[in-house]
Amino acid sequence: MRARRPNSREKILAAAADVARESGPGSLSLDAVASRAGVSKGGLLYNFPTKAKLMQGLVEGYLRHFEEALETANSNDDGKNPLAVYIRLSADDCEEKRPSASWIFSAIAEDPDFMTPIKTFKRQLFERLKGETSDLKSLLVCYLAIEGLRSMNLFDSDVLSKDERELLVASLLEIASSPDAQQASGTRS
């Protein structure tokens, strides 16, 4: 059986991710993406009518990748502690240096619906963790701390040292591993 060839949309998204990593998402040029993807600018615009739609496609791809990584990590953990898996995966993700995401503000200004897939993903993830964690208080503390860490990383405003981040993650894992926060047993605190 032959491997499936990537379609032009997938090629464009892969090229956009490469260009964004190299020059930063805020400097993403549609011409550079089209050239890297080997498609005409018209072909790019057919798939992504605006730069904001292209950026939204990148974000949606990132969310899909994170969801797949979370599924794999949960399977490897045999579903024993989904909250701890989320914490570890998110903390590892936050360690990766990325260009500042100040471009998000211009994407939101151009298309107010830009945040919709992110909000939807985060709400579904929270609801899933809520169903898998018996202690809502522990979940809220861990989820919001990790999302704060993620936001500081995203907007290049991290004020914590490496040791402080490690202490935070270790503390969150301790909370997630407490008997109260373990696999949902039908009752919540």
Side-chain angles (χ1 to χ4, degrees):
M1 190 163 97
R2 286 181 14 175
R4 187 178 69 84
R5 287 182 30 194
N7 64 31
S8 59
R9 183 177 173 84
E10 291 167 340
K11 287 184 348 189
I12 292 167
L13 287 171
D18 289 344
V19 171
R21 265 191 299 280
E22 291 167 9
S23 61
S27 303
L28 193 69
S29 149
L30 296 179
D31 290 323
V33 172
S35 175
R36 176 76 59 97
V39 299
S40 68
K41 190 168 179 183
L44 184 148
L45 292 172
Y46 175 80
N47 286 282
F48 300 98
T50 65
K51 185 174 175 181
K53 291 295 182 192
L54 177 60
M55 298 307 291
Q56 188 173 359
L58 282 174
V59 168
E60 289 169 350
Y62 167 79
L63 296 175
R64 258 189 320 281
H65 174 74
F66 185 83
E67 178 68 24
E68 291 166 2
L70 191 58
E71 289 294 325
T72 300
N74 268 321
S75 294
N76 293 341
D77 189 53
D78 294 325
K80 292 178 192 159
N81 194 337
L83 181 55
V85 167
Y86 162 73
I87 292 167
R88 279 191 295 276
L89 186 64
S90 296
D92 289 347
D93 191 49
C94 287
E95 287 300 312
E96 292 180 25
K97 284 292 174 211
R98 291 184 176 83
S100 172
S102 56
W103 58 269
I104 288 177
F105 300 121
S106 60
I108 293 168
E110 188 174 326
D111 181 5
D113 292 330
F114 178 81
M115 293 297 293
T116 300
I118 298 169
K119 289 178 188 176
T120 300
F121 174 81
K122 288 185 181 282
R123 187 70 221 176
Q124 289 171 343
L125 176 61
F126 181 74
E127 289 299 324
R128 174 180 160 186
L129 289 168
K130 203 161 93 171
E132 297 171 334
T133 306
S134 60
D135 183 16
L136 182 58
K137 288 186 283 187
S138 295
L139 171 60
L140 286 168
V141 168
C142 293
Y143 185 81
L144 291 174
I146 284 294
E147 290 304 315
L149 194 63
R150 189 182 300 282
S151 293
M152 286 191 308
N153 179 278
L154 185 65
F155 294 108
D156 196 24
S157 61
D158 194 350
V159 297
L160 301 178
S161 69
K162 183 171 177 26
D163 289 342
E164 290 166 335
R165 280 191 309 278
E166 288 173 359
L167 177 61
L168 172 63
V169 171
S171 299
L172 295 175
L173 287 170
E174 190 176 306
I175 291 168
S177 297
S178 72
D180 289 341
Q182 289 295 310
Q183 188 75 13
S185 59
T187 59
R188 260 190 202 105
S189 302

